[in-house]
Amino acid sequence: MDKTDNSFFLGEKPLMNYVTAAVMHFTSKHASEVSLKARGKFIGKAVDVSQVIVNRFLKDQVHVAETRLGSEEFTTKDNKKVRVSTIEIIIKKNE
C-alpha cells in the first residue's frame, strides 16, 4: 500500500486484509478515493475486494468510479518477452 496516493497493490494476502485496509482508509483517514491495483492472477481478487467494499461494507457510501485495464511487458530470465494484464479500480465516496 502506498500511503501517499491511497493505492493498494493486491497480492498474496487474504482478501479481507485488503478490504479492511481500504475501508479503514475511507473511515479513519477520510480518504475521498482509493485505488486497487493488481496484475495477472490477482486481477480477480481486485474485483472481489472492490465488490465487497462497495456492496457490503460501505454500501451506499462509495462507488466504483473508474476501471482501467492494461498490460505490462517483462523479459524473463531466459530472455522471453511476457505480457501481464493489469487492472486499476478506483473507488470514490458518494457525494
Side-chain angles (χ1 to χ4, degrees):
M1 175 183 76
D2 184 350
K3 289 180 172 43
T4 59
D5 68 356
N6 299 331
S7 295
F8 295 84
F9 296 91
L10 281 72
E12 297 282 346
K13 292 179 185 173
L15 181 132
M16 287 308 294
N17 287 25
Y18 298 108
V19 171
T20 303
V23 168
M24 291 300 289
H25 239 61
F26 279 118
T27 57
S28 298
K29 300 192 184 223
H30 307 290
S32 60
E33 75 176 46
V34 164
S35 172
L36 305 175
K37 299 178 181 183
R39 312 191 272 216
K41 67 181 182 180
F42 299 114
I43 289 174
K45 185 181 279 188
V47 173
D48 292 344
V49 167
S50 72
Q51 293 305 292
V52 170
I53 293 166
V54 170
N55 295 323
R56 285 187 33 206
F57 281 85
L58 297 175
K59 190 173 186 172
D60 301 325
Q61 297 175 51
V62 298
H63 65 282
V64 174
E66 190 176 348
T67 303
R68 299 177 188 152
L69 304 175
S71 63
E72 294 178 3
E73 191 172 280
F74 296 96
T75 304
T76 63
K77 293 176 187 172
D78 53 349
N79 280 342
K80 289 184 182 176
K81 291 197 177 201
V82 178
R83 280 200 160 298
V84 178
S85 298
T86 62
I87 191 168
E88 180 178 8
I89 303 169
I90 313 281
I91 301 173
K92 290 187 178 183
K93 276 190 175 178
N94 294 341
E95 306 220 356

